[in-house]
Amino acid sequence: MKSKLRMRLLAACWRSIDIDVFVGIDVSKKWLDVCLLGPGQKVHSKRFANDGSGFAELARWCSRFAPLGRCHFCLESTGCYGYGIASWLCDAGHLVSVENARTIKHFAIG
């Protein structure tokens, strides 16, 4: 019962957020491999360094496709490697989801 209520609340929350671009980030020790699903379902991908300059370059690159306030960034929980980009994006006021790797794996299997 709790999960159904939670899903309804999440759905209501998502309807109130206007998102144009979805950004998936695969995090490794040195790199951020990014896949962006832009307006019109157009897909773009690029690799950035996993450091402060790479984070800023990622933000500039994403802003070419839509205002950053209309982007949803999603990455899997990889411990210390993903912490930098997740906190940098959150501090900049962007919508960020850090997902459990098991959830992502089972979604792909399904």
Side-chain angles (χ1 to χ4, degrees), residues 32-47:
L32 302 171
D33 291 311
V34 179
C35 182
L36 183 143
L37 179 62
Q41 304 297 310
K42 195 159 187 174
V43 177
H44 307 275
S45 60
K46 193 166 180 178
R47 176 178 270 188

Side-chain angles (χ1 to χ4, degrees), residues 18 21 23 31 52 60 68-69 74 85 89 92 100 102-104:
D18 201 12
V21 173
V23 184
W31 303 106
R60 282 192 302 273
L68 287 177
C74 183
I85 184 64
L89 289 167
N100 185 329
R102 179 172 287 222
T103 304
I104 294 169

Side-chain angles (χ1 to χ4, degrees), residues 58-79:
L58 167 65
R60 282 192 302 273
W61 181 71
C62 289
S63 68
R64 291 179 22 206
F65 303 101
L68 287 177
R70 298 174 70 111
C71 294
H72 180 191
F73 297 89
C74 183
L75 57 140
E76 68 180 309
S77 177
T78 55

